[in-house]
Amino acid sequence: MFKKILIANRGEIAVRVMRACREMGISTVAVYSDVDRAALHVRKADEAYPIGPAQASESYLRVDKILDVAKRSGAEAIHPGYGFLSENARFAQACADAGIKFIGPTPQSMEMMGSKTRARQHMEKAGIPFVPGTARGLASPEEAEQVAERVGYPVMLKAAAGGGGKGMRLVHSRPELRQALESAQSEAQRSFGDSEVYIEKAIVNPRHIEMQILADEHGNTVWLGERECSIQRRHQKVLEEAPSPIVDADMRRRMGEVAVRVAQAANYTNAGTIEFLVDQQKNFYFLEMNTRLQVEHPVTELTTGLDLVHLQIKIASGEKLPFTQADVGIRGHAIECRIYAEDPDNNYFPSPGKIDVLLQPSGPGIRRDSGMYEGWTVPMDYDPLLAKLIGFGTDREQAIMRLERALYEYFVAGIKTNISLFRRILRDHDFRAGKLDTGFLDRMLAKADPGPTARAPEPRIAAIAAGMFAVLEPPAAGAKDGNAAATQPTASNWKERGRAEALR
Amino acid sequence: MFKKILIANRGEIAVRVMRACREMGISTVAVYSDVDRAALHVRKADEAYPIGPAQASESYLRVDKILDVAKRSGAEAIHPGYGFLSENARFAQACADAGIKFIGPTPQSMEMMGSKTRARQHMEKAGIPFVPGTARGLASPEEAEQVAERVGYPVMLKAAAGGGGKGMRLVHSRPELRQALESAQSEAQRSFGDSEVYIEKAIVNPRHIEMQILADEHGNTVWLGERECSIQRRHQKVLEEAPSPIVDADMRRRMGEVAVRVAQAANYTNAGTIEFLVDQQKNFYFLEMNTRLQVEHPVTELTTGLDLVHLQIKIASGEKLPFTQADVGIRGHAIECRIYAEDPDNNYFPSPGKIDVLLQPSGPGIRRDSGMYEGWTVPMDYDPLLAKLIGFGTDREQAIMRLERALYEYFVAGIKTNISLFRRILRDHDFRAGKLDTGFLDRMLAKADPGPTARAPEPRIAAIAAGMFAVLEPPAAGAKDGNAAATQPTASNWKERGRAEALR
Amino acid sequence: MVYDVMVSGKPHRLELEKVDAGWKCRLDGKEVHVDAVLPRRDVLSLLVDGHAYEVKREQTATDLHLWVGSTRFPVEVRDPRSLRARQGGAQDEKGPRKIVAPMPGRVVRLLVAEGAEVEAGQGIVVVEAMKMQNEIKSPKKGMVKKITASEGAAVNSGDVLAVVE
Amino acid sequence: MVYDVMVSGKPHRLELEKVDAGWKCRLDGKEVHVDAVLPRRDVLSLLVDGHAYEVKREQTATDLHLWVGSTRFPVEVRDPRSLRARQGGAQDEKGPRKIVAPMPGRVVRLLVAEGAEVEAGQGIVVVEAMKMQNEIKSPKKGMVKKITASEGAAVNSGDVLAVVE
């Protein structure tokens, strides 16, 4: 087993990986950019080294600097978390070249799954179900028409190099096709410098369901159940759950077996996720593979009773999987809310800044993986994910009720968060009924907010509270007291005190 | 289902029950004594009413006051938590008389199980295994000698009205018996006003293992697995786990079946616990029944995936158990640490007072049920239990590792707590090996503290930190900043500021 | 003490008087039984006629919101003795409107030039923060009088990016 | 700035000098690379030669302890400029010894009378707090010179209960 691991990440996932390391008796090495000196992952590490300015391209994405810290500190392995360098095959290769174990798949597996068309070509050979269409770019408008005729309208045009909706066109019927193709190709050229466009049958109101797999380095691969990830905004997942409300044991087994075949076809090792699109008839189609730990891995941990990060580390150190497929059982229901620093009242604009007040939930059935603390200033330079709140229950209803209770306890002031969005989602009729697809959230947000429930308090309580606050804790003094001490608190304290006193 | 429940308790258990109520959409009514106005359970309730002075006999034990609040607030049911009135049959009867549902068994069941000898007489009829001995008081020294001969030495003399070790004598051989009996009888007379003493075979190094049961009001009774509770100080449990390291599936089933027979013999309803003594040959003997929710119920919740408080409320409202014995599965391992306000460096003296700093653990596999918060003053009038930290893992080893990690994150200043005791227990060789009995903790504490581990930091770090604290946050100012605002903060703030400034 | 309190735009008059056991409270002329404790900064445990509320304070440079449970109320307190003047009224629909950065970030793109005619809701500037590009939109139909933002520049929350008239 | 710091009874000399990037630090004459941040009151994130420590401060009226991770160090800081005089030395084994309440509580029982001869470790007074009865013991063999505690009385932490000589 490793004695020391470098965590090439920040935020909640760095903290989560460090906790696993501490549990396993492994020392941790943090890296941090200039704006992250006071970040939680630095506080929690056994060693910590600066790697440059705020901009990720000059710090968290710098392969050379991270490997340099790994060598200096004597780390034997690197956990990349998610995002940043986690799916960068060059980084995995550079680790291997430096004799440092990359906790994840091989660079070869990552390469293979990194390009959508390349992955599709490999996987079609392995008999994996795909959305009907072409596995490569269209040579001509005529070919496009033929393929569209074959798979049936509506169809989706997609840029091979694509992502984020760019170079995508939904085509409902043949007369629209030619012009849509031209415009998709030119947009793809402008956006990615590559005009290659292919056709897929358009899935109407698809679900996004993914399957977790684990593979050791001795040829054993298992699936650990699916996650329902249909609730998205701007292609960003917001809330995930396990199991999916529509997947039964048979469908789970079939998806699991396909996922294992995908992993084996890619000679995959360590933790990975196979994403599927699922249509209204519950047919599932391979979409892509994520060659890393997912943000939403906790819902799988709660329903299987396993710790995926412990297992990632054990696999990377050469151990065999300590269980077989037959040992894996799914029990209960888990739902994750991604707490983002964004303003639900202002078009979900990001909201970095100082956290003045933080009240955090706990208690039965509640797991909190957080990268924030009261007094911390959330930098503007990174992903707005602050924390994950995960609710577990005997069944889906109880998981929902527990999350609602925990969200009630959660309070953040100083910056805006999307906590209130989850209250709306969890109350929504379609959500309660499990009627989900990737359009769910946009539809819900287009409706008027039903607003507070019947049990909502009256405004007069706020009026009384305002007076009591004014009497018991005047704002000027209150705002000061809670400040985390700066590096030179003396001078600034004096200044603020003067100000506070002048206000009286 | 009830619309409103009064929680006749305080501290972590009141908060835990209120959370369950909020999850089920039930309004909560808190009661509080004069020193508990700022307690967490009052903050978390929907309604809250004062019930008198600090002394429990004048507030939390006052049946009349609590029923009065229940009637005034329109509560339809009362959850008693543990301690206080939870095992008081008169209170349960008074609730019934007032038309308010007591969430627990009937007064008749509580009566039957409330006295040790009465319970023993009933249970012997039902064929429940007891430690060999007499079910009633000894008539003469001769009878004592005959019984002792029959069950075999060593034997234990016990006061029928007893508790807390009073009137108890361990007798190794016949020549000691007569004098021990006399002295036990006179001590029992002095302590309880009742000289009745009975004999039991002395179990050497027994384990204390208990079985959770649930019974609805329609005749269905199930067992939910055992808890190992052998780690005790002064007859007070300190750390509990589920499952027990020595109980296998067969023994679990046999204990469970006996527990269900006990409950059925007592016409028991709602949640209850059957305590067993287990000898070194794994024979188990009925000890007593606790007719309430146990402090340590979370370890059963984590290993079964059930919520016992939800189920208590459902049962009390007349619902049938939503599952059968065959549906109950035990998965993983859970360990609970009881965080007490007591000083491990000073003979475990209680340590009430103000909590100046509180850093609380979270993350994977960690559940925290707490009644404290930073800035709260722990009153000297009640039980020293502040919070429970529960670790869950795929197996016992992982549960231990996760708890060690979480204890590392836990920090309380201002009052003393027994957090460091758990670090010692979890590191102990016998504990790791699962070699537990009720003498474990006394033996461990009699040994010298092995002290910090090899990875402990050097004193020079403390020296540097002391200087940095002095520079960055002089103590006088620091002590002030964090104070929870008093009712009139203005005056005292001015005073303290003047003091802080004079020190510069 | 007398406070004029606006809650969600509606005025209330609150009279508080210190008495032995706590505070005597009259809201809009009606006596209310109130008991309040501050368990920590910015959190109030309030008992009003037996009902319990945990009230949280969210204070920014310009706004005050109080959360009662999980319901959020915009609140304005005018203490007759307060030195703070009331914030100016909402900006006029007519006349020039400043477009400000809603969060700290970096200007990555200008979408219109000075002098351009824009519709209400049309994007003016793109500001990037937390890996997201956010189109800052015109609040009204009109002419872009001035663009103060420049591509690549860092901006703070509240900085003026452009003016539309 | 120069500090004399006692850690677990051993003296250290710490020199701290404010420089551009942070603090220049010499411990017992040896230069150490130190970077410190206070993420919150009483918590220090300390980097010493790349090693990271979370240090927590536990301050009482009389004592200062620092927790480095989960190891607890008794610490005494003497700042030459400090106004606080050093605490008097440990009490002498000879001469009268005060027996003080280690926590707030209520005196429930006196176990000896004034004038009684007691052994070291013998119980003198029982104080109840948090539902537990706690025997307060004599720190030495000797004679109970005085008993100031009375049954039923409330006591605070540090109150003198008795004197043994």
Side-chain angles (χ1 to χ4, degrees):
Chain A
M1 183 49 65
F2 308 117
K3 289 197 171 51
K4 194 183 278 187
I5 292 178
L6 183 150
I7 293 93
N9 216 304
R10 62 181 300 284
E12 70 85 18
I13 192 62
V15 174
R16 193 260 173 271
V17 174
M18 284 176 192
R19 280 176 165 151
C21 290
R22 180 166 292 279
E23 287 162 11
M24 299 175 77
I26 299 167
S27 291
T28 54
V29 181
V31 290
Y32 61 94
S33 75
D34 291 349
V35 293
D36 271 345
R37 170 62 184 90
L40 196 59
H41 77 284
V42 178
R43 288 172 59 184
K44 295 287 177 212
D46 294 314
E47 296 178 44
Y49 299 89
I51 49 165
Q55 225 182 316
S57 58
E58 288 307 308
S59 48
Y60 295 108
L61 291 171
R62 281 284 293 268
V63 172
D64 54 342
K65 287 183 177 175
I66 289 167
L67 283 177
D68 182 53
V69 170
K71 284 177 214 157
R72 260 165 63 203
S73 62
E76 304 153 80
I78 293 182
H79 196 298
Y82 51 70
F84 292 131
L85 294 170
S86 62
E87 296 190 275
N88 186 318
R90 278 194 312 106
F91 179 58
Q93 186 61 55
C95 288
D97 294 345
I100 292 167
K101 181 74 183 183
F102 176 83
I103 301 177
T106 60
Q108 293 73 34
S109 299
M110 290 166 84
E111 284 277 8
M112 187 188 293
M113 304 315 274
S115 144
K116 285 185 181 184
T117 42
R118 210 175 320 145
R120 182 162 182 155
Q121 287 155 28
H122 274 282
M123 292 308 131
E124 283 193 341
K125 270 185 244 158
I128 303 304
F130 275 86
V131 175
T134 51
R136 54 183 61 79
L138 295 161
S140 67
E142 290 72 28
E143 189 192 347
E145 284 178 351
Q146 285 162 15
V147 177
E149 216 59 56
R150 174 164 57 79
V151 304
Y153 289 94
V155 296
M156 189 67 88
L157 302 176
K158 286 187 176 178
K166 286 274 192 296
M168 268 173 77
R169 292 290 183 282
L170 178 63
V171 181
H172 291 279
S173 62
R174 182 167 173 161
E176 299 169 30
L177 184 62
R178 287 199 175 218
Q179 205 197 319
L181 181 62
E182 264 171 49
S183 108
Q185 283 171 333
S186 78
E187 188 171 296
Q189 180 66 41
R190 274 202 316 280
S191 303
F192 313 111
D194 177 356
S195 68
E196 188 181 347
V197 165
Y198 64 100
I199 279 188
E200 273 183 0
K201 183 165 176 57
I203 307 285
V204 180
N205 296 335
R207 284 177 185 251
H208 177 138
I209 299 179
E210 62 188 26
M211 179 61 65
Q212 177 72 50
I213 64 103
L214 276 181
D216 66 20
E217 299 177 356
H218 307 274
N220 306 301
T221 307
V222 296
W223 53 263
L224 302 180
E226 80 287 359
R227 294 183 287 258
E228 165 81 57
C229 305
S230 300
I231 300 188
Q232 308 184 347
R233 245 193 85 251
R234 295 181 175 182
H235 302 282
Q236 194 178 41
K237 295 171 190 167
V238 168
L239 177 147
E240 304 97 340
E241 59 186 301
S244 162
I246 60 151
V247 174
D248 59 20
D250 177 63
M251 183 174 172
R252 179 171 304 122
R253 184 188 45 75
R254 288 186 290 119
M255 289 181 92
E257 286 169 2
V258 168
V260 166
R261 283 220 307 282
V262 169
Q264 285 172 337
N267 283 318
Y268 197 86
T269 48
N270 219 291
T273 294
I274 287 85
E275 298 196 333
F276 294 102
L277 275 187
V278 180
D279 68 18
Q280 287 170 315
Q281 289 72 46
K282 299 198 190 177
N283 300 305
F284 56 89
Y285 308 101
F286 176 86
L287 192 59
E288 61 174 319
M289 180 164 192
N290 293 316
T291 58
R292 53 162 162 83
L293 189 69
Q294 298 277 84
V295 175
E296 59 270 25
H297 73 276
V299 295
T300 299
E301 295 185 323
L302 287 169
T303 48
T304 58
L306 301 170
D307 187 307
L308 294 184
V309 179
H310 281 221
L311 289 164
Q312 281 195 297
I313 293 170
K314 285 183 177 178
I315 288 171
S317 81
E319 291 187 22
K320 287 191 179 174
L321 274 175
F323 55 84
T324 66
Q325 188 65 58
D327 300 323
V328 176
I330 310 292
R331 185 169 84 181
H333 200 97
I335 305 178
E336 171 182 282
C337 300
R338 298 190 185 194
I339 311 298
Y340 287 119
E342 55 185 29
D343 186 356
D345 295 334
N346 192 8
N347 202 25
Y348 294 89
F349 275 151
S351 179
K354 175 145 176 278
I355 297 172
D356 289 327
V357 184
L358 179 59
L359 305 179
Q360 302 189 101
S362 60
I366 293 303
R367 167 171 166 184
R368 192 163 44 72
D369 280 20
S370 171
M372 63 176 158
Y373 61 87
E374 190 173 290
W376 182 50
T377 297
V378 183
M380 58 171 242
D381 310 278
Y382 311 108
D383 187 277
L385 184 63
L386 297 170
K388 300 179 315 205
L389 182 70
I390 309 112
F392 176 83
T394 308
D395 51 27
R396 187 168 189 264
E397 192 194 349
Q398 193 181 68
I400 291 173
M401 296 190 298
R402 277 178 163 170
L403 265 183
E404 286 193 308
R405 187 270 296 169
L407 288 167
Y408 182 85
E409 294 177 5
Y410 221 150
F411 179 70
V412 185
I415 60 169
K416 308 289 180 182
T417 72
N418 62 344
I419 289 175
S420 62
L421 171 65
F422 296 108
R423 294 200 187 98
R424 251 181 99 179
I425 294 174
L426 295 175
R427 270 203 307 268
D428 184 90
H429 270 288
D430 284 347
F431 176 79
R432 293 255 171 168
K435 287 187 198 155
L436 307 175
D437 61 67
T438 54
F440 166 84
L441 195 50
D442 287 337
R443 283 197 306 278
M444 189 197 86
L445 290 173
K447 289 185 284 190
D449 186 348
T453 55
R455 281 172 74 189
E458 297 163 36
R460 68 187 196 106
I461 300 302
I464 294 168
M468 295 310 305
F469 266 123
V471 166
L472 296 177
E473 187 187 46
K480 180 190 60 63
D481 277 340
N483 284 348
T487 314
Q488 290 166 282
T490 321
S492 63
N493 260 6
W494 280 104
K495 212 165 93 193
E496 284 176 357
R497 269 184 203 175
R499 208 180 293 147
E501 285 162 18
L503 283 174
R504 289 231 178 78
Chain B
M1 182 48 64
F2 309 117
K3 288 195 172 53
K4 194 182 278 186
I5 292 177
L6 184 150
I7 293 91
N9 216 305
R10 62 181 301 283
E12 71 84 20
I13 192 61
V15 173
R16 192 262 174 271
V17 174
M18 285 177 192
R19 281 175 164 152
C21 290
R22 181 167 291 279
E23 288 163 10
M24 299 175 79
I26 299 166
S27 291
T28 54
V29 180
V31 290
Y32 62 94
S33 75
D34 291 349
V35 293
D36 271 346
R37 169 62 185 90
L40 196 58
H41 76 285
V42 178
R43 288 173 58 185
K44 295 286 177 213
D46 294 315
E47 296 177 44
Y49 299 90
I51 49 165
Q55 224 181 319
S57 59
E58 288 307 308
S59 48
Y60 295 108
L61 291 170
R62 280 284 293 268
V63 173
D64 55 342
K65 287 183 179 177
I66 288 168
L67 283 178
D68 183 54
V69 170
K71 285 176 210 158
R72 261 164 64 203
S73 63
E76 304 153 82
I78 294 181
H79 196 298
Y82 50 70
F84 293 131
L85 294 170
S86 62
E87 296 190 278
N88 185 319
R90 277 193 314 103
F91 178 57
Q93 186 61 54
C95 289
D97 294 345
I100 293 167
K101 181 74 184 184
F102 177 83
I103 301 177
T106 60
Q108 293 72 35
S109 299
M110 289 165 84
E111 285 277 9
M112 185 189 294
M113 304 315 275
S115 144
K116 286 188 182 183
T117 41
R118 209 176 321 146
R120 182 160 182 158
Q121 285 155 28
H122 274 282
M123 292 308 131
E124 283 193 341
K125 270 185 244 161
I128 304 303
F130 276 85
V131 175
T134 51
R136 53 183 63 80
L138 296 161
S140 66
E142 290 71 31
E143 188 190 346
E145 284 177 352
Q146 284 162 18
V147 178
E149 216 59 56
R150 174 164 56 79
V151 303
Y153 289 94
V155 297
M156 189 68 87
L157 302 176
K158 286 187 177 179
K166 285 273 191 299
M168 268 174 76
R169 291 291 182 282
L170 177 63
V171 180
H172 291 280
S173 63
R174 183 166 171 160
E176 300 168 29
L177 184 61
R178 285 198 178 217
Q179 205 197 322
L181 180 62
E182 264 171 49
S183 108
Q185 282 171 331
S186 78
E187 187 171 295
Q189 181 66 38
R190 275 202 316 279
S191 302
F192 314 111
D194 177 357
S195 68
E196 187 181 348
V197 165
Y198 65 100
I199 280 188
E200 274 183 359
K201 181 163 177 56
I203 308 286
V204 180
N205 296 335
R207 284 178 185 249
H208 179 138
I209 299 180
E210 62 188 25
M211 177 62 65
Q212 177 72 50
I213 63 103
L214 275 181
D216 66 21
E217 299 177 356
H218 307 274
N220 306 301
T221 307
V222 296
W223 53 265
L224 303 179
E226 81 286 0
R227 294 183 288 258
E228 166 80 58
C229 306
S230 300
I231 301 188
Q232 309 183 348
R233 245 194 83 251
R234 295 181 175 183
H235 302 282
Q236 193 179 42
K237 295 171 190 167
V238 168
L239 178 147
E240 303 98 341
E241 58 184 302
S244 162
I246 60 149
V247 175
D248 58 21
D250 177 62
M251 182 173 173
R252 178 171 305 121
R253 185 187 47 73
R254 287 187 291 119
M255 289 182 92
E257 286 168 2
V258 168
V260 167
R261 282 219 309 281
V262 169
Q264 285 172 336
N267 283 318
Y268 198 87
T269 48
N270 219 291
T273 294
I274 288 83
E275 298 196 333
F276 293 103
L277 276 187
V278 181
D279 69 17
Q280 288 170 315
Q281 289 72 45
K282 299 198 191 178
N283 300 305
F284 55 91
Y285 306 101
F286 176 86
L287 192 59
E288 62 174 318
M289 180 164 191
N290 293 317
T291 58
R292 52 161 162 83
L293 189 69
Q294 298 277 85
V295 176
E296 57 271 26
H297 73 278
V299 296
T300 298
E301 295 186 323
L302 287 168
T303 48
T304 58
L306 301 170
D307 187 306
L308 294 184
V309 180
H310 282 222
L311 289 163
Q312 280 195 299
I313 294 171
K314 286 182 177 178
I315 288 170
S317 80
E319 291 187 21
K320 287 190 179 176
L321 275 177
F323 55 85
T324 66
Q325 188 65 58
D327 300 324
V328 176
I330 310 291
R331 185 169 84 181
H333 200 98
I335 305 178
E336 171 182 282
C337 300
R338 297 191 185 194
I339 311 298
Y340 287 118
E342 55 184 28
D343 186 355
D345 295 333
N346 192 8
N347 201 25
Y348 293 89
F349 275 152
S351 180
K354 176 145 175 279
I355 298 173
D356 289 328
V357 184
L358 178 60
L359 304 179
Q360 302 190 101
S362 61
I366 293 304
R367 166 171 166 184
R368 190 162 45 72
D369 280 20
S370 170
M372 64 176 157
Y373 61 86
E374 189 173 289
W376 181 52
T377 297
V378 183
M380 58 170 241
D381 310 278
Y382 310 108
D383 186 277
L385 183 63
L386 298 169
K388 300 179 315 205
L389 182 71
I390 309 112
F392 176 83
T394 308
D395 51 28
R396 188 169 188 264
E397 192 193 349
Q398 194 182 65
I400 292 172
M401 295 190 300
R402 278 179 163 171
L403 265 183
E404 287 193 309
R405 186 271 295 170
L407 289 166
Y408 182 86
E409 294 177 5
Y410 221 149
F411 179 72
V412 185
I415 59 170
K416 308 289 181 184
T417 73
N418 62 343
I419 289 176
S420 62
L421 171 66
F422 297 109
R423 295 202 185 96
R424 250 181 101 178
I425 294 174
L426 294 176
R427 270 203 307 267
D428 184 271
H429 270 289
D430 284 346
F431 176 78
R432 293 257 171 166
K435 287 187 199 155
L436 308 175
D437 61 66
T438 53
F440 166 84
L441 194 50
D442 286 336
R443 284 196 306 276
M444 190 196 86
L445 290 173
K447 289 185 284 191
D449 186 348
T453 55
R455 282 172 73 190
E458 297 162 38
R460 66 185 199 109
I461 301 301
I464 294 168
M468 295 310 305
F469 266 123
V471 166
L472 296 176
E473 187 188 44
K480 179 191 60 64
D481 277 341
N483 284 350
T487 313
Q488 288 166 285
T490 321
S492 62
N493 260 4
W494 280 103
K495 211 166 93 195
E496 283 176 359
R497 271 188 203 170
R499 206 180 298 144
E501 285 161 20
L503 284 174
R504 289 231 178 76
Chain C
M1 252 158 291
V2 181
Y3 295 92
D4 287 319
V5 185
M6 298 279 281
V7 178
S8 308
K10 276 196 178 162
H12 296 271
R13 166 152 290 221
L14 185 71
E15 296 159 71
L16 290 177
E17 192 190 327
K18 185 96 190 77
V19 290
D20 276 354
W23 297 85
K24 206 174 144 180
C25 170
R26 292 175 73 85
L27 181 69
D28 300 326
K30 232 181 97 187
E31 193 154 330
V32 198
H33 184 256
V34 172
D35 180 28
V37 166
L38 274 172
R40 53 152 285 162
R41 182 173 54 78
D42 289 319
V43 176
L44 189 72
S45 166
L46 195 64
L47 300 185
V48 180
D49 297 325
H51 287 266
Y53 305 92
E54 191 164 275
V55 184
K56 282 90 72 178
R57 175 163 59 177
E58 189 184 3
Q59 175 96 51
T60 66
T62 52
D63 297 319
L64 170 63
H65 285 89
L66 294 183
W67 293 77
V68 184
S70 52
T71 308
R72 185 168 177 252
F73 293 101
V75 170
E76 234 179 287
V77 182
R78 270 170 291 160
D79 172 354
R81 303 177 318 164
S82 165
L83 300 182
R84 288 203 298 174
R86 202 191 160 190
Q87 294 287 326
Q91 283 183 308
D92 202 345
E93 257 304 305
K94 289 171 196 160
R97 288 283 293 273
K98 288 174 181 168
I99 296 171
V100 300
M103 70 271 168
R106 201 168 50 86
V107 176
V108 291
R109 217 158 31 253
L110 305 179
L111 300 173
V112 294
E114 279 184 14
E117 294 289 331
V118 292
E119 295 296 316
Q122 185 176 337
I124 305 291
V125 180
V126 178
V127 176
E128 185 178 287
M130 306 190 104
K131 291 176 66 191
M132 277 160 57
Q133 300 204 344
N134 308 281
E135 243 182 57
I136 315 297
K137 299 186 164 90
S138 175
K140 60 180 277 187
K141 181 177 159 73
M143 193 264 282
V144 178
K145 201 181 157 195
K146 195 168 176 184
I147 294 192
T148 40
S150 57
E151 283 189 11
V155 290
N156 266 316
S157 180
D159 283 1
V160 176
L161 304 172
V163 179
V164 174
E165 189 171 300
Chain D
M1 250 157 292
V2 180
Y3 294 92
D4 287 320
V5 185
M6 297 280 281
V7 177
S8 307
K10 276 198 178 160
H12 297 272
R13 164 151 293 223
L14 186 72
E15 297 159 70
L16 289 175
E17 191 189 330
K18 184 94 191 79
V19 290
D20 276 354
W23 296 85
K24 206 174 147 182
C25 170
R26 292 175 73 85
L27 182 69
D28 299 326
K30 231 182 99 188
E31 193 155 333
V32 196
H33 184 255
V34 172
D35 181 29
V37 166
L38 275 171
R40 54 152 286 162
R41 181 174 54 77
D42 290 320
V43 176
L44 190 72
S45 167
L46 195 65
L47 300 185
V48 180
D49 298 324
H51 288 266
Y53 305 92
E54 192 164 275
V55 185
K56 281 92 70 179
R57 174 162 60 175
E58 190 185 3
Q59 175 94 53
T60 66
T62 52
D63 295 320
L64 170 64
H65 285 90
L66 294 183
W67 292 77
V68 184
S70 50
T71 307
R72 185 166 177 254
F73 293 101
V75 170
E76 233 181 289
V77 181
R78 269 171 290 158
D79 172 355
R81 303 178 317 163
S82 164
L83 299 183
R84 288 203 297 173
R86 202 190 160 192
Q87 295 287 327
Q91 284 182 307
D92 202 346
E93 259 303 306
K94 289 172 196 163
R97 288 284 294 272
K98 289 175 180 167
I99 295 172
V100 300
M103 70 273 165
R106 203 168 50 85
V107 177
V108 291
R109 218 162 26 254
L110 305 178
L111 300 173
V112 294
E114 279 184 15
E117 294 290 332
V118 292
E119 294 298 315
Q122 185 176 338
I124 305 291
V125 180
V126 178
V127 176
E128 183 178 288
M130 306 189 103
K131 293 175 64 191
M132 277 159 58
Q133 300 204 344
N134 308 281
E135 244 183 57
I136 316 297
K137 301 185 163 93
S138 176
K140 59 181 275 187
K141 182 178 161 70
M143 193 264 285
V144 179
K145 202 179 156 198
K146 198 170 173 184
I147 293 191
T148 42
S150 58
E151 282 189 13
V155 291
N156 267 316
S157 180
D159 283 2
V160 177
L161 304 172
V163 180
V164 174
E165 189 171 302

